[in-house]
Amino acid sequence: MEQSMVGLVQNETIKLLRRRRFLVVVLILAILIPIFTYAQYRSVVTAQERMGTTDWRPLLTQQIVDMQNRLASSRLPEEWRDFIKVRIAQQQYYLDHDINPMAPGGPTFARGFMDQAISMFLPMIIVVLAVDLVSSEFSEGTVKLLLTRPVRRWKVLTSKYITLLLFTSLTVLTTLILAYLLSGVVFGYSGWDLPILTGFEVAGGELETSGAFMLPQWQFLLMQYGLGWFVCVVVATVTLMVSVLVRSAAAGMGIMMAALISGTILTQMASSWESSKYLFVVNLQLTDYLNGTLPPIKGMTLPFSLTVLSVWAIAALIIAYVTFIRRDVTS
């Protein structure tokens, strides 16, 4: 009699927990987030020492002056002028409304952490979680038992994928909670209602600012971590495919790490290779669209990147299922 899907998912959850990969992920977050918190704290202190005051208003005023000076430069690329003008307007809004954006609380740190982590750090953590989901069955010698049980193979792989999605979601949620709680010890826990400027659009390689609007930070965080979750799901799905195709967890880890690192490099030099915008690793920095940062290649928009990532995820799932169902385990 075939085992139910719930039972299969429970079995896969137990397997994953026994390998203690999720515990490793939580430990990595618990160690690195305080380090990043201290780094940001030192950055704030250094800025205050340079200005000779702890009052945020002169510091913010100086930032506005610096950006205005950049606008006066003839060497500034035209596509950056609108962006800097919007940043000036944003900072002036904070100044006029007596809002201190330079003394971040837990929510502000969590927002900044996702901005930095979405394209490399979080995907690498997901790779650690997912890379041996199938390949471990080969290394542990359980693959024959797994695939010769009276359970349809597509159900076995589906249970693994559902388990992976559950732990991927839990990882993103844990990231938000730890970033808020640990950074709040230093910066405090307020700032949920801090207004954040968003709603930028890019048309013809130029930033459109006419649709920009303010959101309370808690709403912005929901949007931002939602995009971060989507990126992690795509990376998890591609990693699952690699785990099916490659029988060694070490080889799978190498493949995914190489892909993520090459993606970071390509993003820096992608303007000279326009076709690279169709690679999933070039489209991971989704939160840049919320912040108004210009994309690495003209023509890239949030819908475009979401579409590219979705196509990659669907293709990876198809390859994973076809390979897993047809796999010969007698050799």
Side-chain angles (χ1 to χ4, degrees):
M1 182 177 179
E2 289 196 5
Q3 195 171 356
S4 69
M5 184 61 69
V6 174
L8 289 171
V9 171
Q10 288 177 342
N11 289 340
E12 293 301 327
T13 300
I14 293 172
K15 285 182 186 179
L16 198 149
L17 291 175
R18 282 178 178 172
R19 288 198 293 271
R20 299 183 179 178
R21 290 300 177 91
F22 184 68
L23 177 60
V24 171
V25 166
V26 174
L27 287 176
I28 291 173
L29 290 171
I31 292 172
L32 290 184
I33 287 176
I35 294 175
F36 294 148
T37 300
Y38 179 75
Q40 183 166 342
Y41 169 76
R42 290 304 309 168
S43 176
V44 172
V45 170
T46 300
Q48 292 174 346
E49 290 176 348
R50 187 174 64 250
M51 293 295 296
T53 178
T54 58
D55 188 354
W56 61 272
R57 294 171 185 82
L59 296 175
L60 193 58
T61 301
Q62 185 59 48
Q63 282 190 4
I64 294 174
V65 171
D66 291 343
M67 286 187 289
Q68 288 172 338
N69 291 336
R70 287 188 64 190
L71 280 178
S73 173
S74 59
R75 298 180 179 179
L76 184 68
E78 189 62 33
E79 61 267 22
W80 284 101
R81 292 188 179 276
D82 285 342
F83 174 69
I84 293 177
K85 289 177 182 178
V86 171
R87 288 290 295 167
I88 291 174
Q90 182 183 26
Q91 302 295 58
Q92 190 64 51
Y93 180 94
Y94 289 143
L95 199 60
D96 294 342
H97 291 78
D98 201 30
I99 298 170
N100 179 10
M102 303 179 68
T108 306
F109 177 87
R111 173 167 57 89
F113 185 78
M114 176 55 78
D115 279 335
Q116 300 301 318
I118 190 172
S119 64
M120 177 64 75
F121 179 66
L122 272 179
M124 281 188 171
I125 283 181
I126 297 302
V127 169
V128 170
L129 197 64
V131 72
D132 65 345
L133 204 62
V134 176
S135 58
S136 63
E137 304 288 355
F138 288 95
S139 61
E140 295 171 4
T142 58
V143 64
K144 289 186 178 180
L145 176 63
L146 177 72
L147 297 184
T148 54
R149 291 164 59 189
V151 180
R152 295 184 181 182
R153 290 190 178 189
W154 70 265
K155 279 192 173 183
V156 174
L157 190 59
T158 300
S159 67
K160 287 181 175 293
Y161 188 53
I162 291 174
T163 303
L164 178 57
L165 292 182
L166 290 174
F167 277 90
T168 297
S169 303
L170 192 56
T171 298
V172 175
L173 181 60
T174 302
T175 300
L176 173 59
I177 293 173
L178 288 180
Y180 172 65
L181 292 179
L182 296 179
S183 66
V185 174
V186 176
F187 299 121
Y189 297 102
S190 61
W192 290 104
D193 293 326
L194 181 73
I196 305 298
L197 196 62
T198 188
F200 305 98
E201 293 182 1
V202 178
E206 295 186 0
L207 192 68
E208 291 288 340
T209 60
S210 57
F213 59 95
M214 291 286 182
L215 274 183
Q217 185 156 234
W218 68 269
Q219 289 186 19
F220 189 91
L221 274 172
L222 288 178
M223 295 167 57
Q224 187 189 45
Y225 274 77
L227 291 176
W229 174 84
F230 181 76
V231 165
C232 288
V233 167
V234 172
V235 172
T237 304
V238 174
T239 306
L240 177 69
M241 177 194 69
V242 172
S243 185
V244 170
L245 296 176
V246 180
R247 301 192 177 195
S248 166
M253 180 75 73
I255 291 171
M256 289 306 300
M257 291 301 179
L260 293 174
I261 293 171
S262 64
T264 301
I265 297 172
L266 281 172
T267 301
Q268 303 301 322
M269 52 188 294
S271 57
S272 59
W273 182 25
E274 188 172 344
S275 298
S276 65
K277 66 183 180 182
Y278 297 106
L279 300 175
F280 85 93
V281 289
V282 178
N283 289 272
L284 298 182
Q285 195 70 37
L286 294 182
T287 56
D288 278 356
Y289 295 111
L290 298 181
N291 298 325
T293 302
L294 293 178
I297 302 176
K298 289 183 179 180
M300 291 179 65
T301 61
L302 180 56
F304 173 85
S305 291
L306 290 173
T307 301
V308 169
L309 292 174
S310 297
V311 169
W312 273 86
I314 293 170
L317 268 184
I318 293 173
I319 294 171
Y321 270 92
V322 170
T323 304
F324 192 79
I325 290 172
R326 296 182 177 180
R327 170 150 284 166
D328 180 10
V329 295
T330 58
S331 56

